[in-house]
Amino acid sequence: MPPTPFDRVILGDVVLPDAVLRDGYVAVRGEAIAAIGQGTPPPAASVDDHAGRLLLPGLVDGHMHTSSSTGWPGIEGASMSAAAGGVTTCVDMPYDVPRPVTDAGILREKVAVVEATSHVDMALYGTITKAGGIEAIAGLAEAGACSFKLSTYEYDAVRFPRIDHPTMLAAFREIAKTGLMCAIHNEDQELVQRLTEEAKAAGRTDPIMHARTRPPLAESMADLEIFEMALETGCHVHIAHSSIARGFELAEIYRRSGARTSGEACIQYLCMTEEDLVRLQGFGKCNPPFRSAAEVERMWEAFRAGRIAYVSTDHAPWPRERKRYDGDIFAPVAGLTGLQSFAPLLYTLLAERGLPVTLMALYGAERPARFHGLFPKKGALRVGCDADLCVLERGDFTFDAREIRDREDARWSPYDGRAMHARVAATYLRGACIWDGSAVLARPGSGRFVPRQHRDTYLGEG
Amino acid sequence: MPPTPFDRVILGDVVLPDAVLRDGYVAVRGEAIAAIGQGTPPPAASVDDHAGRLLLPGLVDGHMHTSSSTGWPGIEGASMSAAAGGVTTCVDMPYDVPRPVTDAGILREKVAVVEATSHVDMALYGTITKAGGIEAIAGLAEAGACSFKLSTYEYDAVRFPRIDHPTMLAAFREIAKTGLMCAIHNEDQELVQRLTEEAKAAGRTDPIMHARTRPPLAESMADLEIFEMALETGCHVHIAHSSIARGFELAEIYRRSGARTSGEACIQYLCMTEEDLVRLQGFGKCNPPFRSAAEVERMWEAFRAGRIAYVSTDHAPWPRERKRYDGDIFAPVAGLTGLQSFAPLLYTLLAERGLPVTLMALYGAERPARFHGLFPKKGALRVGCDADLCVLERGDFTFDAREIRDREDARWSPYDGRAMHARVAATYLRGACIWDGSAVLARPGSGRFVPRQHRDTYLGEG
Amino acid sequence: MPPTPFDRVILGDVVLPDAVLRDGYVAVRGEAIAAIGQGTPPPAASVDDHAGRLLLPGLVDGHMHTSSSTGWPGIEGASMSAAAGGVTTCVDMPYDVPRPVTDAGILREKVAVVEATSHVDMALYGTITKAGGIEAIAGLAEAGACSFKLSTYEYDAVRFPRIDHPTMLAAFREIAKTGLMCAIHNEDQELVQRLTEEAKAAGRTDPIMHARTRPPLAESMADLEIFEMALETGCHVHIAHSSIARGFELAEIYRRSGARTSGEACIQYLCMTEEDLVRLQGFGKCNPPFRSAAEVERMWEAFRAGRIAYVSTDHAPWPRERKRYDGDIFAPVAGLTGLQSFAPLLYTLLAERGLPVTLMALYGAERPARFHGLFPKKGALRVGCDADLCVLERGDFTFDAREIRDREDARWSPYDGRAMHARVAATYLRGACIWDGSAVLARPGSGRFVPRQHRDTYLGEG
Amino acid sequence: MPPTPFDRVILGDVVLPDAVLRDGYVAVRGEAIAAIGQGTPPPAASVDDHAGRLLLPGLVDGHMHTSSSTGWPGIEGASMSAAAGGVTTCVDMPYDVPRPVTDAGILREKVAVVEATSHVDMALYGTITKAGGIEAIAGLAEAGACSFKLSTYEYDAVRFPRIDHPTMLAAFREIAKTGLMCAIHNEDQELVQRLTEEAKAAGRTDPIMHARTRPPLAESMADLEIFEMALETGCHVHIAHSSIARGFELAEIYRRSGARTSGEACIQYLCMTEEDLVRLQGFGKCNPPFRSAAEVERMWEAFRAGRIAYVSTDHAPWPRERKRYDGDIFAPVAGLTGLQSFAPLLYTLLAERGLPVTLMALYGAERPARFHGLFPKKGALRVGCDADLCVLERGDFTFDAREIRDREDARWSPYDGRAMHARVAATYLRGACIWDGSAVLARPGSGRFVPRQHRDTYLGEG
Ligand SMILES: [Zn+2]
Ligand SMILES: [Zn+2]
Ligand SMILES: [Zn+2]
Ligand SMILES: [Zn+2]
Ligand SMILES: [Zn+2]
Ligand SMILES: [Zn+2]
Ligand SMILES: [Zn+2]
Ligand SMILES: [Zn+2]
């Protein structure tokens, strides 16, 4: 009797970045994809039949904050909702409570927590301190940080500081040596601060003022500063979140001049508008803020033109009470939950705009993995890669925030009640089913730290 | 006992357009690829072990002339050399003796000959007559022609006529409706004719005069004419062979203006120079002619920048006696053999320039298939696609024209004696081995006609 | 008693290319401007008081055909209407009956006729023969030809031949050495010829068919050919008349690539449309034909953007009977009268579009003089320059073709009956009044030949 | 006997922006040019014979600081050296001791001082306060300020403050309404401050450190900020001094996007290099600092390409003792004298580079007058304009700082001892001779305030 060659075969319509294999399968051996096929599957120890469903690569969310509010204990819950949302690789920001990830020692401590408590795999950003800490950059890269994150705006002098120009320049010079990408939170501090003061002084603290005090110009001015330094230093500088098409245009102008520049769109900037801010109040507050409906259309134009690096969530699971609006929109913290809604929403937005589902594999998995140097281990349905899958069931569903798999006070969502054209029917992490459509099967520690795989820069094709 | 799921498993390093799967396999069921995997292969009725060799998609040669000299009987020999050269899909030009493929009836007749005599699969170009025949365009597209070919230069009033501006414009308008690509032989008739007359009058008929009488400007002026009409009509207009980087630059300028324009490079323009023309005399004569070494470098720059549609051969197996130079370079016919040398030469050129072998899968298979609307049935190692493979053995070889598998008088090559870094160790066509490294196993009729699969335009990414 | 320093002082509002000097004067000594001033004029032998009128530089019409129908005897009448129209420098085309200006000897003969019969000054174009005559180019430049004219379209095999590509290329190479500009009549022969044949075959010979058989593409294809050869040779190549904005766009694209390319607009393309062709029948027939109203708007956009070299008339005083339409629009000759209407019409068009009269000095005098190498002797109201003036009286007038000062059968105009906002109240040629508002005071031979003054290329600023 | 029509006739070679009238003259009536001529001049009450010399328009220095060190009493001396230097219009910066020109009242006070003490005519910049003072902008424009000046760098919290982003944005919005230009001192405060601190901390206070602590990036980052706000607001934003070609490139990129952006080059950036800083120590210190020799070449490339708005001096007549270097390059103040050397140096630099003297009329008179809205009253040798002239005598001279016509302690110059190819032989202000080549004939109060003449934006041609 011949040896059974595969451990598991998963059946369904395989969604690749530019094609869909109907009646296909993904065959797993150990933790990796060992074969992809179509038609009668080969023998395997077990068969998971998702016939009629879409087998996508496990999503890679390139931007999230698991530990901004609760510190590293937040990893456990956030990664659980990731599992339930089809996200198998989380790229976590470094702005953690009580201290950010500013050296290899801290990174290694966080890695230990990840490996002990995470439900999905996780790559980690590093950062520097307000005062500098440039000398820790090489060590962070060495220890496996995938990318760096700095900010032009100060939310917290220790956790999330504004990095001034000379320090940022020095950091870019040093990061350039590592080959890693440096993402920037891009808001002009002076503009935002003044407009906020003026709004408060004028007694204007209603929700729309959150958008009015952070106008598009506050973004583009920050974008320009960092890109001119990118041109000077050769560092790959990336807008952590552009809510405006101008950001992607600037990245392209600088690329043409030889700089390594890019920018990502969080999914909210592809569907939410100022009206939603007014409606959701504190629960619609994030930075940058939602823009006009016309700007959303320009964002999709940039998307269709291939100018956007990838789509992410900027997931930040603040406790519900810190998001509540009581007459002062400046009081609640900024940030939205988004991990569990990511896959259904991205599917739905593409469908609503008549765009092919293959773009979901591209912008929700392959490209974020490429930009963070995790590809092709992560982000691909390819032989030899990690057997991470997001299985989608098409149909008419409604997103229900109460179903979020995180601690109770993080079970809120700006998308609560939104019609979705798909739901996550299963999630596989390195060959194991970690979500079966109703329960998270992963346990704390199922997830692993994913170090950056190489140091080549990726800026998109063409 | 479980049923054996695969008919054949082919082992080797699988070369994809952007990755190589070491110790991989391609599993075949029927004529199609049913799985691609890595590691221990699944059970199969037969196993072909090419461990250590490269498994590439069967090459797609997007430009050849099987029937210019001998008529359709030429298909048998040319396709045999294709099999021996790892080319599994030939895209044949319509300029056949005694009459070109100018309507659906002729196309169907040629299809019958292909299916009866070809050793590999074949897609077919259509064309129009000198006088017009625009009304046959829709029928040709309906009958499965993949693309159209017209010329700005007249080689033969019937077989290979110059199409004048109004007729070309009318043809573009009609072809635009079909969605098919229209490739153009791009030489300015007036310039070439005059310079040739002047050379003859001056008694200058030595080999280099072939290049001098067809200067780069003769190409670029033809390129501009056809691209301006492309802009006007919306037709996808393609330079059948640009020997100069300017051609690709113009295609890009027009694409930016919204036109559908592209151009291909025949492999000789990536390695041969005027010195080779002098050395090879009649056997180095083709149109456009070889250019300077500096131009070859510019061609590679265009290649690396992604501006070239694909690489082809322009294979034209003229009888040896019609290529001989006897003091008058204008006497021999223009055209080179190239099918059997294509795979080893493309591999060698990439290797010599330090470029990855994945580009061979891209420019020698995927992209020509995409431009001709044959993808992904042809041109891809993907599940569900035709199981066409070109197996390369790396090493130090010398190309020997006597080994060409065509009729005796076509066994000549401009590359005779050239050092090659690889040879074709096997060729598979729809799952069957048709070349085992020493003998062609295919028989006349093994090959099939491949109609265009869809009518979407492909102009490259980005 | 001090010597009277000036021969003549002419009073009025002096119109410079970027300013108007109210209550100014132009003081003449001999044939040149000796002073320009404002306020109380200096003593002079005579004072011509045009207070309240506009003193413009005498217009330079950079494109006309005095001798297409009647041969050089046509110079006398055409130049008389120039004098009555404020045009003091005519740049005459070389396509004369019975033979064109193809060598220095012919040029010198024509110069003699000019000096004996012209009422205004005249610069002369040279050309080549259909067969070549390249060797005469240097001599023509030496003899003072200002520019060259070639055609891509054949009106007459001897007088106005199509120059084929190799001959044109050789001509450009030779003209490049002289530094002179080469203007091209830009129509694609093949397109026009075929469309005309088809129209005739279909029995469509009504007026609009003149436009339909010469579509914009027939121009742009010719433009591209000549510009690519301009890029190759370094020759200053100029579209003799672009009726479409695309022509100016192409000239700019090529200039950016380093070519010396430009194009002019005849005044009819800035105001006439296909409706006028239908209305005027044969009397509205010229080549290229009138375009759509939308195209006219695009022409003004190009004008405002500074993309147009200058504005000219393409004056061609055909006998009335050769313009008459008798059911076949292909029968009448192409060409319009325009010299006498030029100044009032240019003034009127600028006024109607709210553009300043200074642009009339720029586009009707300075720039044509610059492009033809006649500046600043001609085309400027500057000290030291020829004292040529066009005096405009503002008011409401109607253009009356019967007032044209040419032979009887040339007294027709497409602008007959058009409302004009100005009339030419006086014309001065080198200090002498040659038109006083009602009578031509110049006599045959008052005019002189103006050789090109230098060989620098002018392509406009910026 | 006829009345003498002109008060004065000045003979010489008249230098216009694009031509030189040999043996010409400028005739004056009252304070204005009443005629320009060539040859025998008309009768006049007086004749100033500068035959063989160049008659240029009186220079317009678009950037100077008369009152930075001594307050408004500095106007008297600075304007005297202007008279001796052929500069007839000074455009004075608003950063005066003890308080800057921040409202119409202060402007009017300064106007009174100008009219009482200045030797030449003077236009005045306005500014805002660090805290804002936006509401004074309209009044300043109303009172005749020609332009506004703001800074991204703080030299003094009151006199020369950094304007933060929100205040600058608000100012641009308000200035946009006036139509006036807003020039910006462009240095990134954070970069400069940090690099300076680091240099001091490292004990590096030698002269070259002045350049090292203000790298090109410190300029370009400031340029980008202000240009992005220019794009947002429509305000004409102007780099007050770009020492790097990148500044002009950015201005052009933004102009292409529709912004109103420009930049000027001070003359030192066209000839001085870091070596001169090392040589001159404190007397070579200015902001931005001198750059590399390669950058100087790029500056000339920008100049020849027409990208530079105009050339100015940034004259700042600091007392000699404040410029002295005693081991700490950070101690002396920044700024150079330049008014009296401006004309000879600009002439010399053009001559050394083989550029025509007409460019001196263009970049040293016409264009600064245009950018500041003073044209054509100032900056032109044209009829009707102010009769301001700078008369140059060509020859071999040496610039001698002791000859500077200012208070004793301002008689120093970075150009002391430099070979010059011309000297200022006479200066005329509104028809009166104010410098005869050896003595200043003007008296305090000869000069007048020149208000902005109109509110049209000028950004150069094309
Ligand atoms: Zn952020
Ligand atoms: Zn974030
Ligand atoms: Zn060909
Ligand atoms: Zn071919
Ligand atoms: Zn013409
Ligand atoms: Zn003409
Ligand atoms: Zn400054
Ligand atoms: Zn300054």
Side-chain angles (χ1 to χ4, degrees), chain C residues 188-204:
Chain C
D188 186 81
Q189 173 115 343
E190 286 190 349
L191 275 181
V192 170
Q193 210 164 300
R194 175 71 53 81
L195 292 169
T196 306
E197 287 164 13
E198 290 176 357
K200 287 178 176 172
R204 289 292 311 271

PDB file of all heavy atoms in Angstrom, chain C residues 188-204:
ATOM      1  N   ASP C 188      -1.568  63.781 -45.479  1.00  0.00           N
ATOM      2  CA  ASP C 188      -1.204  62.439 -45.889  1.00  0.00           C
ATOM      3  C   ASP C 188      -1.855  62.121 -47.231  1.00  0.00           C
ATOM      4  O   ASP C 188      -3.086  62.008 -47.329  1.00  0.00           O
ATOM      5  CB  ASP C 188      -1.633  61.429 -44.828  1.00  0.00           C
ATOM      6  CG  ASP C 188      -1.140  60.040 -45.165  1.00  0.00           C
ATOM      7  OD1 ASP C 188       0.034  59.746 -44.897  1.00  0.00           O
ATOM      8  OD2 ASP C 188      -1.934  59.251 -45.747  1.00  0.00           O
ATOM      9  N   GLN C 189      -1.026  61.969 -48.210  1.00  0.00           N
ATOM     10  CA  GLN C 189      -1.511  61.799 -49.579  1.00  0.00           C
ATOM     11  C   GLN C 189      -2.417  60.583 -49.724  1.00  0.00           C
ATOM     12  O   GLN C 189      -3.483  60.648 -50.330  1.00  0.00           O
ATOM     13  CB  GLN C 189      -0.293  61.644 -50.491  1.00  0.00           C
ATOM     14  CG  GLN C 189      -0.616  61.299 -51.914  1.00  0.00           C
ATOM     15  CD  GLN C 189      -0.216  62.421 -52.839  1.00  0.00           C
ATOM     16  OE1 GLN C 189       0.010  63.556 -52.431  1.00  0.00           O
ATOM     17  NE2 GLN C 189      -0.131  62.105 -54.108  1.00  0.00           N
ATOM     18  N   GLU C 190      -1.979  59.479 -49.174  1.00  0.00           N
ATOM     19  CA  GLU C 190      -2.745  58.238 -49.365  1.00  0.00           C
ATOM     20  C   GLU C 190      -4.138  58.323 -48.790  1.00  0.00           C
ATOM     21  O   GLU C 190      -5.119  57.887 -49.406  1.00  0.00           O
ATOM     22  CB  GLU C 190      -2.005  57.064 -48.722  1.00  0.00           C
ATOM     23  CG  GLU C 190      -0.807  56.633 -49.519  1.00  0.00           C
ATOM     24  CD  GLU C 190      -0.229  55.328 -49.001  1.00  0.00           C
ATOM     25  OE1 GLU C 190      -0.630  54.868 -47.908  1.00  0.00           O
ATOM     26  OE2 GLU C 190       0.634  54.770 -49.693  1.00  0.00           O
ATOM     27  N   LEU C 191      -4.212  58.875 -47.576  1.00  0.00           N
ATOM     28  CA  LEU C 191      -5.535  58.974 -46.950  1.00  0.00           C
ATOM     29  C   LEU C 191      -6.455  59.875 -47.767  1.00  0.00           C
ATOM     30  O   LEU C 191      -7.601  59.525 -48.054  1.00  0.00           O
ATOM     31  CB  LEU C 191      -5.409  59.533 -45.538  1.00  0.00           C
ATOM     32  CG  LEU C 191      -5.094  58.543 -44.436  1.00  0.00           C
ATOM     33  CD1 LEU C 191      -5.024  59.280 -43.102  1.00  0.00           C
ATOM     34  CD2 LEU C 191      -6.157  57.445 -44.360  1.00  0.00           C
ATOM     35  N   VAL C 192      -5.949  61.045 -48.122  1.00  0.00           N
ATOM     36  CA  VAL C 192      -6.784  62.022 -48.808  1.00  0.00           C
ATOM     37  C   VAL C 192      -7.228  61.480 -50.165  1.00  0.00           C
ATOM     38  O   VAL C 192      -8.401  61.583 -50.552  1.00  0.00           O
ATOM     39  CB  VAL C 192      -6.023  63.350 -48.973  1.00  0.00           C
ATOM     40  CG1 VAL C 192      -6.778  64.291 -49.907  1.00  0.00           C
ATOM     41  CG2 VAL C 192      -5.794  63.992 -47.608  1.00  0.00           C
ATOM     42  N   GLN C 193      -6.292  60.909 -50.863  1.00  0.00           N
ATOM     43  CA  GLN C 193      -6.586  60.431 -52.212  1.00  0.00           C
ATOM     44  C   GLN C 193      -7.676  59.357 -52.178  1.00  0.00           C
ATOM     45  O   GLN C 193      -8.655  59.399 -52.908  1.00  0.00           O
ATOM     46  CB  GLN C 193      -5.305  59.870 -52.794  1.00  0.00           C
ATOM     47  CG  GLN C 193      -5.219  59.987 -54.281  1.00  0.00           C
ATOM     48  CD  GLN C 193      -3.767  59.780 -54.738  1.00  0.00           C
ATOM     49  OE1 GLN C 193      -2.862  60.517 -54.343  1.00  0.00           O
ATOM     50  NE2 GLN C 193      -3.557  58.751 -55.538  1.00  0.00           N
ATOM     51  N   ARG C 194      -7.506  58.397 -51.277  1.00  0.00           N
ATOM     52  CA  ARG C 194      -8.480  57.312 -51.198  1.00  0.00           C
ATOM     53  C   ARG C 194      -9.862  57.800 -50.792  1.00  0.00           C
ATOM     54  O   ARG C 194     -10.886  57.451 -51.405  1.00  0.00           O
ATOM     55  CB  ARG C 194      -8.008  56.260 -50.188  1.00  0.00           C
ATOM     56  CG  ARG C 194      -9.025  55.130 -49.942  1.00  0.00           C
ATOM     57  CD  ARG C 194      -9.150  54.197 -51.131  1.00  0.00           C
ATOM     58  NE  ARG C 194      -7.849  53.742 -51.500  1.00  0.00           N
ATOM     59  CZ  ARG C 194      -7.196  52.747 -50.876  1.00  0.00           C
ATOM     60  NH1 ARG C 194      -7.786  52.072 -49.920  1.00  0.00           N
ATOM     61  NH2 ARG C 194      -5.986  52.412 -51.246  1.00  0.00           N
ATOM     62  N   LEU C 195      -9.883  58.643 -49.768  1.00  0.00           N
ATOM     63  CA  LEU C 195     -11.177  59.125 -49.292  1.00  0.00           C
ATOM     64  C   LEU C 195     -11.870  59.936 -50.383  1.00  0.00           C
ATOM     65  O   LEU C 195     -13.091  59.875 -50.545  1.00  0.00           O
ATOM     66  CB  LEU C 195     -11.000  59.950 -48.012  1.00  0.00           C
ATOM     67  CG  LEU C 195     -10.553  59.116 -46.803  1.00  0.00           C
ATOM     68  CD1 LEU C 195     -10.138  60.021 -45.647  1.00  0.00           C
ATOM     69  CD2 LEU C 195     -11.673  58.175 -46.348  1.00  0.00           C
ATOM     70  N   THR C 196     -11.070  60.653 -51.153  1.00  0.00           N
ATOM     71  CA  THR C 196     -11.642  61.431 -52.252  1.00  0.00           C
ATOM     72  C   THR C 196     -12.213  60.513 -53.328  1.00  0.00           C
ATOM     73  O   THR C 196     -13.347  60.704 -53.801  1.00  0.00           O
ATOM     74  CB  THR C 196     -10.567  62.354 -52.860  1.00  0.00           C
ATOM     75  OG1 THR C 196      -9.994  63.136 -51.809  1.00  0.00           O
ATOM     76  CG2 THR C 196     -11.165  63.270 -53.916  1.00  0.00           C
ATOM     77  N   GLU C 197     -11.449  59.507 -53.678  1.00  0.00           N
ATOM     78  CA  GLU C 197     -11.940  58.551 -54.671  1.00  0.00           C
ATOM     79  C   GLU C 197     -13.240  57.900 -54.204  1.00  0.00           C
ATOM     80  O   GLU C 197     -14.188  57.747 -54.971  1.00  0.00           O
ATOM     81  CB  GLU C 197     -10.894  57.458 -54.909  1.00  0.00           C
ATOM     82  CG  GLU C 197      -9.680  57.925 -55.696  1.00  0.00           C
ATOM     83  CD  GLU C 197      -8.509  56.953 -55.570  1.00  0.00           C
ATOM     84  OE1 GLU C 197      -8.734  55.820 -55.072  1.00  0.00           O
ATOM     85  OE2 GLU C 197      -7.391  57.333 -55.948  1.00  0.00           O
ATOM     86  N   GLU C 198     -13.250  57.509 -52.932  1.00  0.00           N
ATOM     87  CA  GLU C 198     -14.445  56.859 -52.411  1.00  0.00           C
ATOM     88  C   GLU C 198     -15.652  57.790 -52.428  1.00  0.00           C
ATOM     89  O   GLU C 198     -16.767  57.384 -52.744  1.00  0.00           O
ATOM     90  CB  GLU C 198     -14.190  56.353 -50.981  1.00  0.00           C
ATOM     91  CG  GLU C 198     -13.224  55.171 -50.951  1.00  0.00           C
ATOM     92  CD  GLU C 198     -12.901  54.722 -49.543  1.00  0.00           C
ATOM     93  OE1 GLU C 198     -13.373  55.368 -48.579  1.00  0.00           O
ATOM     94  OE2 GLU C 198     -12.176  53.727 -49.401  1.00  0.00           O
ATOM     95  N   ALA C 199     -15.406  59.066 -52.091  1.00  0.00           N
ATOM     96  CA  ALA C 199     -16.506  60.026 -52.086  1.00  0.00           C
ATOM     97  C   ALA C 199     -17.047  60.202 -53.500  1.00  0.00           C
ATOM     98  O   ALA C 199     -18.258  60.174 -53.730  1.00  0.00           O
ATOM     99  CB  ALA C 199     -16.022  61.368 -51.527  1.00  0.00           C
ATOM    100  N   LYS C 200     -16.112  60.353 -54.419  1.00  0.00           N
ATOM    101  CA  LYS C 200     -16.544  60.509 -55.811  1.00  0.00           C
ATOM    102  C   LYS C 200     -17.306  59.276 -56.278  1.00  0.00           C
ATOM    103  O   LYS C 200     -18.360  59.372 -56.910  1.00  0.00           O
ATOM    104  CB  LYS C 200     -15.340  60.755 -56.711  1.00  0.00           C
ATOM    105  CG  LYS C 200     -14.746  62.146 -56.562  1.00  0.00           C
ATOM    106  CD  LYS C 200     -13.511  62.305 -57.445  1.00  0.00           C
ATOM    107  CE  LYS C 200     -12.953  63.726 -57.397  1.00  0.00           C
ATOM    108  NZ  LYS C 200     -11.663  63.833 -58.095  1.00  0.00           N
ATOM    109  N   ALA C 201     -16.763  58.117 -55.977  1.00  0.00           N
ATOM    110  CA  ALA C 201     -17.412  56.873 -56.397  1.00  0.00           C
ATOM    111  C   ALA C 201     -18.816  56.780 -55.806  1.00  0.00           C
ATOM    112  O   ALA C 201     -19.732  56.234 -56.417  1.00  0.00           O
ATOM    113  CB  ALA C 201     -16.569  55.675 -55.978  1.00  0.00           C
ATOM    114  N   ALA C 202     -18.982  57.329 -54.615  1.00  0.00           N
ATOM    115  CA  ALA C 202     -20.294  57.273 -53.957  1.00  0.00           C
ATOM    116  C   ALA C 202     -21.189  58.426 -54.384  1.00  0.00           C
ATOM    117  O   ALA C 202     -22.290  58.589 -53.856  1.00  0.00           O
ATOM    118  CB  ALA C 202     -20.110  57.294 -52.436  1.00  0.00           C
ATOM    119  N   GLY C 203     -20.693  59.243 -55.318  1.00  0.00           N
ATOM    120  CA  GLY C 203     -21.496  60.359 -55.779  1.00  0.00           C
ATOM    121  C   GLY C 203     -21.632  61.465 -54.751  1.00  0.00           C
ATOM    122  O   GLY C 203     -22.518  62.306 -54.833  1.00  0.00           O
ATOM    123  N   ARG C 204     -20.753  61.461 -53.761  1.00  0.00           N
ATOM    124  CA  ARG C 204     -20.812  62.494 -52.727  1.00  0.00           C
ATOM    125  C   ARG C 204     -19.806  63.593 -53.055  1.00  0.00           C
ATOM    126  O   ARG C 204     -18.630  63.497 -52.736  1.00  0.00           O
ATOM    127  CB  ARG C 204     -20.478  61.891 -51.350  1.00  0.00           C
ATOM    128  CG  ARG C 204     -21.540  60.990 -50.779  1.00  0.00           C
ATOM    129  CD  ARG C 204     -22.818  61.772 -50.395  1.00  0.00           C
ATOM    130  NE  ARG C 204     -22.553  62.947 -49.606  1.00  0.00           N
ATOM    131  CZ  ARG C 204     -22.486  62.968 -48.266  1.00  0.00           C
ATOM    132  NH1 ARG C 204     -22.682  61.868 -47.583  1.00  0.00           N
ATOM    133  NH2 ARG C 204     -22.246  64.098 -47.627  1.00  0.00           N
TER     134      ARG C 204
END
